[in-house]
Amino acid sequence: LGPALPDFLARYPDVSVELNLSDQQTDLVSENFDLALRIATLVDSSLIARRLCEVRILLVGAPAYFRAHGRPRHPKDLAAHRGLFYTYGRSQDAWRFFHKQQGDYAVRIESPLRANNADVLTPSLLAGLGLALQPEFLVWRELQAGSLEVAMPEWTVPPIALHLVTPPSFIRPTRVEVLLDFLAKRFATGTAPWAAPRRRP
């Protein structure tokens, strides 16, 4: 979202944006929010939601971690590893994986660090302190640079999605409509929008 905002503000200089960042789900109606971007599997509600793009969840670790502890090949191998946990994720106590031929597998893993913000896990990942299930948009730069690597690529975690969510009303100010349209066009792409080159206004 951060790299997209300069383009929006340059295109609509009379519109101001107040941005609230939180990993908790906020009540848009009671707290008077015009819209939200949510990365989750949404539950049924009265809110209006538009799915923009898929978000892959990847098991990642630093090369130094793999050199010291080995590279897991099967989820059962993770019982001997250390995991860094995002506490708002779907896997609170166990990590669950899927393989096309071998089906589902869940494993509990020792965790020296749990946090309700996935960004804070990155320094510990880079320091080789454990493995983590991270959304691709948080680690794509490190993966390209080689400072993090994907483990067990044949075992996947069900992806989640980025949604544009609004309160249950079709009457909105023009300033909200132009932001909704801008965000939908920016993020509803066939490729990972966070890894796309920055566009000119």
Side-chain angles (χ1 to χ4, degrees):
L1 180 59
L5 287 176
D7 289 353
F8 175 79
L9 295 172
R11 189 175 303 177
Y12 300 101
D14 295 330
V15 178
S16 61
V17 175
E18 181 177 347
L19 185 64
N20 182 296
L21 300 175
S22 173
D23 283 6
Q24 289 183 311
Q25 287 208 6
T26 302
D27 187 327
L28 301 187
V29 176
S30 66
E31 300 193 33
N32 295 315
F33 283 98
D34 292 311
L35 61 99
L37 284 169
R38 287 186 173 164
I39 306 166
T41 301
L42 297 183
V43 297
D44 291 336
S45 73
S46 62
L47 300 177
I48 300 170
R50 176 178 176 181
R51 187 183 188 277
L52 299 182
C53 64
E54 183 177 279
V55 177
R56 292 196 304 162
I57 306 298
L58 306 173
L59 179 64
V60 296
Y65 178 87
F66 294 126
R67 286 193 297 270
H69 302 281
R71 187 179 293 270
R73 304 295 180 187
H74 186 281
K76 65 183 179 184
D77 300 336
L78 293 173
H81 287 263
R82 295 161 65 85
L84 310 176
F85 270 74
Y86 173 60
T87 55
Y88 287 157
R90 290 177 296 196
S91 302
Q92 296 296 321
D93 300 314
W95 283 348
R96 300 180 185 277
F97 299 89
F98 174 78
H99 191 281
K100 289 182 179 179
Q101 283 76 43
Q102 301 182 51
D104 296 299
Y105 196 96
V107 60
R108 294 181 180 273
I109 182 170
E110 180 185 349
S111 179
L113 176 63
R114 294 174 178 262
N116 67 353
N117 181 283
D119 281 301
V120 79
L121 301 179
T122 301
S124 295
L125 272 170
L126 294 172
L129 298 181
L131 305 173
L133 288 173
Q134 291 282 72
E136 186 180 14
F137 68 84
L138 282 185
V139 295
W140 69 270
R141 291 183 182 87
E142 289 80 6
L143 292 172
Q144 285 188 350
S147 55
L148 290 178
E149 299 174 356
V150 176
M152 303 190 323
E154 67 280 6
W155 287 87
T156 60
V157 175
I160 53 180
L162 173 64
H163 297 87
L164 191 55
V165 183
T166 56
S169 173
F170 291 97
I171 302 174
R172 305 185 186 94
T174 302
R175 64 182 181 273
V176 176
E177 290 289 352
V178 296
L179 180 56
L180 288 170
D181 184 62
F182 176 87
L183 293 174
K185 289 178 179 177
R186 175 58 62 95
F187 291 108
T189 62
T191 58
W194 38 87
R198 185 180 169 198
R199 304 175 188 179
R200 295 184 179 274

